[in-house]
Amino acid sequence: MHTGHYISGVGHVALIGWLIFGDVFAAEPLPFEATTVSVISGSEFAAMVAAGRAPQSTTEVAQPSSPEVTPDAPEIAATEDPVAGQTPPEQAQTPATEDAPDVSDLAALPQADVSDQAPVLPDPPADVAVLVPEVSDRPVPQAAERVAPEAIAQPDPEARPDPVEQEAVTPNASGETQQDPAEATAPEAAATEIVTEAEQPSAVPLQSARPPARRPDPPVQQAAQPVEAAEPAAPAEDTTEDAVASALAEALAADSSAPAVPQGPPLSAGEKDALRVAVSSCWNVGSLSTDALNTTVVVSVSMTQDARPVTSSIRMASSSGGSEQAARRAFEAARRAIIRCGAKGFDLPVEKYGQWQDIEMTFNPERMRIK
Amino acid sequence: MRLLGMVLAVTLGCVSPSAGSAQAQGDGPLRIEITEGVIEPLPFALPVFQAETADAPGLAAQISQVVSADLSGTGLFREIPATAFISTVSNFADPVQYADWKAINAQALITGAVAVQGNQLTVKFRLYDVFSGAEMGSGLQFTGTPDGWRRMAHKVADAVYSRITGEGGYFDSRVVFVSETGNKDARQKRLAIMDYDGANVQYLTDSSAIVLAPRFSPSGDRVLYTSYETGFPRIYVLDVGSVQRRVLESQDGTMSFAPRFAPDGQNIVFSLSQGGNTDIFAMNVAGGGATRLTSAPSIETAPSFSPDGSQIVFESDRSGSQQLYIMPASGGEARRISFGPGRYGTPVWSPRGDLIAFTKQNSGRFHIGVMRTDGAEERLLTASFLDEGPTWAPNGRVIMFTRESQGAGGRSSLYSVDISGRNLRPVRTPDGGSDPSWSPLQK
C-alpha cells in the first residue's frame, strides 16, 4: 500500500544527504585580482594629502650651503682614436642646375587698392533682453483656421479654394483645349488639430509627404474610325477556355431584361480609401454642436455611373449617440459633404460600378471631438 | 469539350436571372466609415436685406451688417464678400438660384427684408442650405420698434446660428462688467452693462467706490456685486431695470465677497472672511441668516452652482495649494477635481453642465481652461501675463474673461474664446474692462 511512499521517502533522504555531505554545490572560486589596502586614520590621511600639496611660500627660507670647490682642476689626457681599417665615403655628385623659367609672358599683379582709412562699421545693436521661450518636448503643429486630417501648406494665391485640387485649364496658342477652361483650385491651408494660444508653435512639416489625391484626366475621346466589314473568321479550335467563355457569355446574355451594370471585382482597399479621403475633405464639423459631435449617422446614397451622388437619394439610414435634433444636424453636415465633394464625381472605377452603385457611409465624429 | 460548355451554359442559365440581384442583396451597398473631417468656418452669403418701405434702407443695411458680424464673430462661419456674388436677391419672395450660390461655395444663404411702418419695425428672413437645395426651417419674422433694431438683428443671427449648429445662440444677450479707467495705482472702477458685442454701454454705478465681481441673476434682471463703499467688502444686489441697489445682510467685523446666484434666483452663495479664515456660506437674497457650507481652516472661496443647483464647485487651498473642489449644494464632503501642476481658481460651471471653466496659474503664466466636471480632459485655451475670471455664454460654447497686460501702464480688457480654443478675440469696450458676467438670453 505504502510502497510508493517508502520509495519516495528513501529517495528524498538519500538526495538530502547527498546534498549535505556530498559537497555537490562546492564550486571553485572564480579567479579575481585582490588589491591590498591599508586603513589609515584621518590625521594620517590629512598628513598624506598635505604632503602632496604645493608648499606654501615663506619669507625665511634656509639657504643651502654652497658646494665646496677644489681649486685644482683635474688634468685630462687627450688621445687619438684608432682609424685603421676605415675607408672615406665617396663624394656625392652635385645635380645639374635647372634653367630659370621664362616669366616674360606673365602679367604684372594688379595694384592692390589699399586705403589707410578704417572701414566704417555699422552701429552695434543696442542691448536687448531676450526672453528664452519655453521649449516643449512635444512637437506642436502649426495653427491654422482650418483643421483637416492632413496638414496643408498655404496654397497658391491664384488658386480658388476648393476641396478638390485641380490645375488650371487654359486654351493653347490656337485657342483649343481638350477640356473646358477652368481656373486652378486647391484646398485651403490646414493644420491637423486645433492649436490654442496655450500651446507654442514648433517646426512641423507644413505639408504631408503624401501626395494629394488628384483625379485622373478624363480620357480623350478619339474620333470614331469607320470599321471595315470583317470577313467571317475561320472557326477557332475548340478549346476548354473557349467553351467556358462562350457558355458564360451566353448565360449572362440570357438575362437581357436587366440593364448592363458592370459589376467587376470588389473595390480595393486603396479605392475605398480614396473615396473615404475625398468625402472627409468636405465633411466640415466645425459648426456642429457638441451634441451633434456625439452623434454617429449612417447615410445612404445612390451614385450615377459617372460617380456623382444622386442628391435626392441621400437619406439618413440610422443614427446613434445623440438627440433627434443633433442627428438631423449631423446628417445635414454629412449630406453637404457628399454633395460638395461629389459634385465633380468621385474617383471610382467605372468598371466596378455595380460595387459602388449604392453606398452607405457612416459618419463617426468621435475622433473630431478631441481635435 | 463542347458537352462541358453546354453543361455550364445550362447550369449558369438556370441561376443567372437571380444572380445579379442575389449578389446585390447579399453584399448590400458599399460601406465605408468616415472618421476624419475638417473644422473650418462655414461659408455663408448674406445679401443686404431688402428694404420694403421707403425709410427702411438704412436699417436694412445696419441689420444685415450686425447679423453678418454676429455670425462671423463666432469663428464658425465666414461671410462671402458681396463682390463675389453672381446672383442678386431683388425680392424676398423670389426663388433662389442655387447654382449661382454653389458656384461661389456658399453653403448657407440668408435672405431677409426690413419694413418700417410708423413706430413698428419688421424684420423677416429665410435660411437656405445651398448644396441641398432646400430651405432650412421656415421663414421667420420679428416685430419691434426701430430703436430696438440691434436686438432684432441679434435675434435673426441667433435663429440662423441655432438652425445650422443645432444649439442655442448667444447674440441677444448682455454682459455686466467692471469698467476701468486710470493707471494701475489709481484705477477707478464702476459697474457697466453692454450688449455681448460691446455695443450700448451703460453705467450702473459711479466710480466713488471700488466695485468687484458683478454676477447676473439667472433671469438677467438683477446683479450681485461686491463694493468697498464702507471700507470693507460688502455684497450688494442691484436691479438692472431701476438701478436700485441694497446691501445684503452682513455681520460686523466680517468681509463678504465672491457672491453668485443659485439657479433658482432666490438664494446666493458667497465667501465670508472672519478672524482670518474664509469659508463659503449661503443665504436667501431676500434676507435672513447665512448658512455655513464649509468649515475648514483653509481659504474656501469662488463658489459656483451646477445648472441643476445640486452641487457647488469652489476653490480651496486645503491641500496646500489652490485647487478646485466640488461639494453638495447643502455643504458636506468635497471632492477634489484638479490635479495638474500649478494653481487653479475662479471655477465657473457651464450652463450646459458638462464643463467647468477656471483660471490656472502655472510657470509664470495665467491660463483660461476648461475641464470635465470630474476633472478629466483639462484643456488650456489661453496663455498670457494675466488671464482670469471666466464667464460662460448662455449656450456654453464661448467664454469671456479678463486679460491684463504687463507693466505699470498695463490695461485690463475683455476677451472671448471658443471652448475649443479657437477664435480668441478682444471684446470692444470704451475703456478698460474686467470681471465680465454674461447674462442669459434676453426674452
Side-chain angles (χ1 to χ4, degrees):
Chain A
M1 293 278 298
H2 298 287
T3 307
H5 291 140
Y6 296 145
I7 294 171
S8 174
V10 170
H12 278 86
V13 168
L15 176 62
I16 293 168
W18 180 54
L19 292 175
I20 295 172
F21 303 108
D23 204 16
V24 175
F25 297 112
E28 290 294 325
L30 293 172
F32 65 93
E33 289 184 2
T35 302
T36 305
V37 297
S38 59
V39 179
I40 61 174
S41 65
S43 57
E44 288 172 329
F45 178 75
M48 186 177 70
V49 171
R53 289 179 188 154
Q56 294 181 343
S57 62
T58 56
T59 53
E60 295 180 1
V61 180
Q63 298 295 324
S65 56
S66 301
E68 292 182 0
V69 179
T70 54
D72 298 330
E75 290 183 1
I76 300 174
T79 58
E80 286 187 357
D81 290 338
V83 294
Q86 288 188 356
T87 56
E90 293 180 2
Q91 182 73 31
Q93 289 187 346
T94 305
T97 306
E98 293 182 356
D99 296 335
D102 183 8
V103 296
S104 59
D105 292 341
L106 291 178
L109 288 172
Q111 190 70 26
D113 187 11
V114 179
S115 171
D116 293 337
Q117 298 291 331
V120 179
L121 296 176
D123 293 335
D127 289 341
V128 177
V130 178
L131 294 175
V132 180
E134 293 179 14
V135 179
S136 170
D137 294 335
R138 186 171 69 89
V140 179
Q142 297 284 332
E145 191 180 37
R146 183 172 186 263
V147 176
E150 292 180 358
I152 299 172
Q154 198 67 33
D156 185 349
E158 298 285 324
R160 181 170 61 83
D162 192 282
V164 180
E165 187 177 11
Q166 176 182 306
E167 292 181 0
V169 178
T170 53
N172 57 20
S174 60
E176 296 176 350
T177 59
Q178 292 181 340
Q179 303 172 41
D180 294 335
E183 59 182 328
T185 60
E188 293 179 74
T192 54
E193 62 185 78
I194 295 171
V195 181
T196 69
E197 188 188 42
E199 298 172 276
Q200 298 287 337
S202 68
V204 293
L206 290 176
Q207 190 164 20
S208 166
R210 183 179 175 181
R214 182 176 294 177
R215 287 180 50 73
D217 294 333
V220 179
Q221 291 184 349
Q222 300 289 341
Q225 298 291 328
V227 181
E228 294 179 4
E231 292 181 2
E237 222 171 290
D238 192 4
T239 61
T240 306
E241 289 79 7
D242 289 340
V244 171
S246 60
L248 280 170
E250 286 176 20
L252 293 173
D255 187 13
S256 58
S257 60
V261 175
Q263 285 292 331
L267 264 64
S268 67
E271 290 164 340
K272 284 185 183 177
D273 200 41
L275 175 62
R276 190 164 27 241
V277 169
V279 179
S280 296
S281 64
C282 287
W283 185 35
N284 181 12
V285 299
S287 58
L288 287 183
S289 67
T290 50
D291 195 15
L293 279 174
N294 284 319
T295 307
T296 297
V297 292
V298 180
V299 180
S300 65
V301 55
S302 296
M303 306 290 291
T304 62
Q305 203 151 357
D306 60 351
R308 296 170 199 263
V310 179
T311 305
S312 59
S313 72
I314 301 175
R315 63 183 183 82
M316 182 164 59
S318 63
S319 69
S320 60
S323 65
E324 186 183 344
Q325 188 188 25
R328 196 158 53 245
R329 299 293 172 256
F331 167 65
E332 285 166 358
R335 181 171 59 181
R336 275 195 293 270
I338 296 170
I339 296 173
R340 276 183 67 211
C341 274
K344 295 173 183 172
F346 290 111
D347 189 9
L348 290 165
V350 179
E351 67 276 11
K352 301 179 182 177
Y353 176 53
Q355 299 289 340
W356 48 264
Q357 187 175 9
D358 295 302
I359 307 178
E360 262 189 16
M361 301 184 190
T362 301
F363 289 85
N364 182 353
E366 185 179 355
R367 293 170 69 177
M368 299 304 295
R369 287 200 296 270
I370 56 174
K371 287 284 184 182
Chain B
M1 290 301 168
R2 188 167 293 165
L3 179 64
L4 175 62
M6 289 175 65
V7 170
L8 268 170
V10 170
T11 309
L12 288 169
C14 290
V15 299
S16 62
S18 58
S21 57
Q23 184 183 358
Q25 287 170 6
D27 296 340
L30 172 66
R31 291 185 173 86
I32 62 170
E33 183 174 20
I34 316 290
T35 58
E36 293 278 4
V38 297
I39 298 174
E40 61 183 347
L42 187 142
F44 71 93
L46 194 153
V48 175
F49 285 7
Q50 292 296 302
E52 294 187 330
T53 56
D55 48 358
L59 282 176
Q62 288 176 304
I63 289 171
S64 304
Q65 196 173 6
V66 170
V67 174
S68 177
D70 282 348
L71 295 173
S72 300
T74 63
L76 305 181
F77 306 95
R78 182 181 65 210
E79 185 185 17
I80 295 175
T83 52
F85 292 175
I86 299 172
S87 274
T88 56
V89 178
S90 53
N91 192 320
F92 182 65
D94 283 351
V96 171
Q97 303 299 320
Y98 289 111
D100 290 345
W101 301 106
K102 271 186 196 174
I104 60 171
N105 195 32
Q107 295 182 37
L109 170 67
I110 304 155
T111 64
V114 176
V116 180
Q117 291 174 328
N119 196 33
Q120 179 172 298
L121 172 67
T122 303
V123 181
K124 52 189 176 184
F125 79 96
R126 289 187 188 277
L127 172 64
Y128 300 92
D129 184 339
V130 172
F131 280 83
S132 296
E135 189 174 353
M136 296 179 73
S138 304
L140 202 58
Q141 176 174 305
F142 299 99
T143 304
T145 54
D147 58 356
W149 66 268
R150 282 188 64 88
R151 280 202 62 195
M152 295 170 75
H154 289 321
K155 285 198 172 296
V156 171
D158 275 330
V160 171
Y161 178 96
S162 181
R163 288 183 183 187
I164 295 177
T165 66
E167 61 192 1
Y170 58 88
F171 308 122
D172 187 24
S173 61
R174 293 193 289 179
V175 173
V176 62
F177 66 103
V178 176
S179 176
E180 299 187 0
T181 53
N183 293 326
K184 273 185 177 177
D185 53 352
R187 190 158 284 174
Q188 294 188 321
K189 301 186 176 189
R190 51 181 172 164
L191 284 191
I193 193 170
M194 64 180 184
D195 293 353
Y196 96 99
D197 58 358
N200 293 331
V201 175
Q202 296 173 1
Y203 296 99
L204 302 177
T205 65
D206 59 26
S207 54
S208 59
I210 293 175
V211 289
L212 296 172
R215 303 285 180 247
F216 260 117
S217 66
S219 54
D221 59 343
R222 292 161 295 161
V223 170
L224 286 171
Y225 68 98
T226 304
S227 173
Y228 280 76
E229 196 170 318
T230 62
F232 291 95
R234 289 280 186 271
I235 298 172
Y236 291 76
V237 59
L238 179 143
D239 184 90
V240 175
S242 64
V243 201
Q244 296 296 313
R245 64 191 180 93
R246 63 182 172 86
V247 64
L248 292 183
E249 192 173 304
S250 61
Q251 304 167 17
D252 291 338
T254 63
M255 294 187 290
S256 50
F257 52 95
R260 200 177 288 269
F261 276 100
D264 62 8
Q266 302 304 313
N267 294 289
I268 67 166
V269 285
F270 61 97
S271 293
L272 191 141
S273 182
Q274 187 173 25
N277 185 31
T278 303
D279 275 307
I280 295 173
F281 289 74
M283 67 179 294
N284 192 293
V285 74
T291 305
R292 177 186 288 270
L293 300 181
T294 64
S295 180
S298 49
I299 296 174
E300 276 74 37
T301 186
S304 172
F305 275 98
S306 62
D308 63 1
S310 65
Q311 298 178 89
I312 293 173
V313 61
F314 63 97
E315 66 175 65
S316 169
D317 61 357
R318 62 181 64 182
S319 66
S321 68
Q322 195 175 307
Q323 301 291 338
L324 305 185
Y325 295 81
I326 289 178
M327 67 177 175
S330 56
E333 188 176 353
R335 71 175 194 277
R336 179 175 165 178
I337 60 168
S338 63
F339 294 94
R343 296 191 294 172
Y344 296 77
T346 64
V348 191
W349 216 303
S350 158
R352 291 199 293 222
D354 55 346
L355 295 172
I356 289 172
F358 56 85
T359 302
K360 180 172 181 173
Q361 185 185 5
N362 186 36
S363 300
R365 296 203 296 178
F366 279 80
H367 307 274
I368 299 296
V370 292
M371 64 169 66
R372 299 240 167 241
T373 55
D374 59 358
E377 298 180 29
E378 176 182 326
R379 180 164 198 173
L380 302 181
L381 309 178
T382 72
S384 84
F385 167 69
L386 178 56
D387 286 349
E388 62 180 353
T391 180
W392 288 94
N395 68 350
R397 176 91 188 216
V398 181
I399 292 172
M400 193 179 290
F401 61 96
T402 305
R403 170 165 289 186
E404 186 165 322
S405 52
Q406 196 169 2
R411 182 175 186 269
S412 288
S413 49
L414 305 183
Y415 275 72
S416 67
V417 65
D418 188 272
I419 57 169
S420 64
R422 294 159 62 93
N423 200 38
L424 175 68
R425 56 173 57 207
V427 179
R428 182 190 57 190
T429 53
D431 302 306
S434 64
D435 278 344
S437 175
W438 217 314
S439 81
L441 273 181
Q442 299 189 78
K443 303 296 183 189

